[in-house]
């Protein structure tokens, strides 16, 4: 729900009064992924949907899914799609 925001594991840990290492371990146990992998997966699912509209630019999509830097998303997509 908040994938477009700049959320970090430390921010979540603080919000839930947990140690970041404990939250990280718990997160991996429950999802099978670490926090960064999970957030990337969620964001990339949204990127796929947004790319279906040819009017959406990469720079705009980057912001919509929570990346401040369009070049990061461009590099990531280049690695995936060659």
């Amino acid at each position: 729900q908040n994938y477009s925001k700049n959320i970090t594991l430390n921010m979540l840990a603080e919000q839930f009064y947990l140690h970041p290492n404990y939250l990280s371990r718990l997160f991996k146990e429950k999802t099978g992924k670490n926090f960064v992998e999970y957030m990337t997966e969620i964001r990339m699912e949204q990127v796929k949907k947004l790319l279906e509209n040819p009017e959406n630019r990469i720079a705009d999509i980057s912001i919509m899914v929570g990346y401040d830097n369009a070049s990061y998303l461009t590099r990531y997509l280049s690695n995936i799609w060659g």
Side-chain angles (χ1 to χ4, degrees):
Q1 188 174 30
N2 293 308
Y3 66 87
S4 64
K5 297 179 183 171
N6 186 16
I7 300 171
T8 66
L9 183 68
N10 286 339
M11 289 168 59
L12 285 178
E14 188 175 303
Q15 183 177 358
F16 294 108
Y17 305 102
L18 298 170
H19 192 279
N21 291 342
Y22 175 71
L23 180 58
S24 179
R25 215 175 23 238
L26 190 62
F27 199 91
K28 177 89 176 195
E29 185 180 294
K30 298 296 182 188
T31 67
K33 298 173 178 67
N34 70 36
F35 180 75
V36 172
E37 290 170 335
Y38 182 81
M39 288 299 291
T40 299
E41 184 177 297
I42 297 295
R43 287 175 171 161
M44 288 304 123
E45 288 300 317
Q46 293 305 313
V47 166
K48 287 178 194 175
K49 291 176 188 175
L50 292 167
L51 283 172
E52 291 175 1
N53 182 347
E55 294 182 17
N56 286 334
R57 299 176 325 141
I58 295 289
D60 297 331
I61 291 172
S62 293
I63 293 167
M64 287 186 238
V65 299
Y67 293 120
D68 296 333
N69 188 337
S71 65
Y72 171 81
L73 179 57
T74 302
R75 279 192 313 273
Y76 186 87
L77 294 174
S78 294
N79 289 335
I80 291 174
W81 295 331

